[in-house]
Amino acid sequence: MAFFIASSPHAHSRRSTPDLMKWVALCALPGLAAQTYFFGWGTLFQLAFAIVLALSLEALVMVARKRHPMSALRDNSALVTAWLLAVAIPPLSPWWILAIGLVFAIVVAKHLYGGIGQNLFNPAMVAYVVLLISFPVQMTSWISPSELQTTPISMGDALSLMFTGFNLDGLSLQQIRTGIDGVTMATPLDAFKTALHTGKTASEALQQPQFSALAGIGWEWVNLAYLIGGLALIKLRVISWHIPVSFLLSLTVVSGLFMLLAPGETASPIVHLLSGATMIGAFFIATDPVSASTTVKGRLVFGAFIGAMVFIIRSWGGFPDGIAFAVLLGNMCVPLIDYYTKPRTYGH
């Protein structure tokens, strides 16, 4: 009899990899709905285009590797990668941004390492970082939430902006993002960091129109929606609680400590928890079963490290949000973390 050793992800439940990936996508639906509500139809168009392109690239690469494409398409890993990248980029980004990103995610970050179970880094985050560094203007061109928009964006406008760069009235994305007062609306994290650099205190920065009583308008509800989906993943035992809890606890403790030590110079824990990609990062990105730590203690260390790095990058880094960079740095540390946290052999 032959003993077959399958590649990761390894799950202790009786669910298959396609089943696990399917539940990840289903539990991300509340967050997707919230993003669509606050940021418009562009989110859904980006997702549909990303899924079609990711599955096509997956099939082409499998054919080039002389393997049957259906075996890769059925595991739903390409679908999840496309999903995570599509919701991470601005909803009205040009189509070629997503195309370049998925080539890096599927071809470079995944299949050049051997395919599913062999990649060292989260493919979606590799693609996101490549895009952010290469095309910073397009990757930071987030539109305001629906209640702050001066120019309503219809379904036709979103589709036209994505593929032509102009809406149906001939306005560019930059013109749409510019309000009546001639100032381009920035994301809450970017606006907060810019305000601090201009000499304002944290409380003064939070008085800007992008912020509500808790965090950024729209962003707080998006994060809460992903939190609901993440808790469902834990309830269904698709993921374990160790990485999300240690991630969020680390971010809360570190941001709270610095708020006490340097009042007025850093954002509060609630702002960090409900801004940017915090919740999708904690529950859907950092918990990638292939590139995350595999031991119980290692997952706690892995999550805590990412949470601390997110605060550091957000506070002193060159980019407003630090989820992607923090996750990739954590992926780099996984072999070391697993080595020092592996369980002792019974009787040793």
Side-chain angles (χ1 to χ4, degrees), residues 270-293:
I270 193 68
V271 172
H272 279 289
L273 292 175
L274 298 180
S275 296
T278 299
M279 294 301 171
I280 190 174
F283 291 96
F284 294 88
I285 297 175
T287 55
D288 175 25
V290 177
S291 57
S293 180

Side-chain angles (χ1 to χ4, degrees), residues 9 13 28 56-57 112 114 118 132 147 163 187 201-202 209 215 222 228 255 258 262 264 297 303 309 315 324:
S13 67
S56 301
L57 287 170
L112 286 187
Q118 308 298 324
L132 185 60
E147 59 188 276
F163 287 101
T187 60
T201 64
V222 171
I228 293 172
S255 59
F258 273 89
K297 292 180 181 178
M309 289 305 303
S315 299

Side-chain angles (χ1 to χ4, degrees), residues 137-207:
V137 174
Q138 289 81 2
M139 288 296 290
T140 54
S141 296
W142 283 86
I143 58 174
S144 305
S146 53
E147 59 188 276
L148 297 177
Q149 291 176 10
T150 57
T151 304
I153 302 173
S154 65
M155 185 186 300
D157 288 331
L159 196 60
S160 180
L161 281 163
M162 181 177 171
F163 287 101
T164 69
F166 299 92
N167 70 355
L168 298 178
D169 295 325
L171 298 177
S172 67
L173 178 58
Q174 186 63 28
Q175 290 173 312
I176 292 174
R177 294 182 65 234
T178 303
I180 298 175
D181 55 0
V183 177
T184 301
M185 188 73 72
T187 60
L189 286 173
D190 196 11
F192 186 89
K193 179 178 287 188
T194 302
L196 292 182
H197 288 169
T198 58
K200 294 182 179 179
T201 64
S203 59
E204 291 173 336
L206 294 175
Q207 299 303 314

Side-chain angles (χ1 to χ4, degrees), residues 125 128-129 132-133 313 319 321-330:
M125 293 301 97
Y128 181 86
V129 168
L132 185 60
I133 294 175
I313 296 171
F319 297 95
D321 205 348
I323 298 293
F325 292 98
V327 168
L328 294 182
L329 289 171

Side-chain angles (χ1 to χ4, degrees), residues 47-93:
L47 178 60
F49 179 65
I51 291 174
V52 172
L53 185 56
L55 295 179
S56 301
L57 287 170
E58 185 92 346
L60 289 173
V61 173
M62 290 298 288
V63 171
R65 296 178 62 190
K66 295 181 172 54
R67 298 186 180 184
H68 199 282
M70 290 307 298
S71 61
L73 295 177
R74 288 196 189 101
D75 63 27
N76 294 326
S77 61
L79 182 146
V80 171
T81 297
W83 193 302
L84 294 177
L85 184 60
V87 299
I89 67 174
L92 299 179
S93 299

Side-chain angles (χ1 to χ4, degrees), residues 233-294:
L233 286 177
I234 295 176
K235 178 67 176 178
L236 294 168
R237 296 188 178 182
V238 176
I239 63 173
S240 66
W241 60 267
H242 303 85
I243 292 176
V245 170
S246 61
F247 177 114
L248 298 177
L249 184 61
S250 172
L251 180 58
T252 301
V253 171
V254 175
S255 59
L257 180 63
F258 273 89
M259 188 179 70
L260 293 175
L261 295 176
E265 297 181 14
T266 58
S268 66
I270 193 68
V271 172
H272 279 289
L273 292 175
L274 298 180
S275 296
T278 299
M279 294 301 171
I280 190 174
F283 291 96
F284 294 88
I285 297 175
T287 55
D288 175 25
V290 177
S291 57
S293 180
T294 57

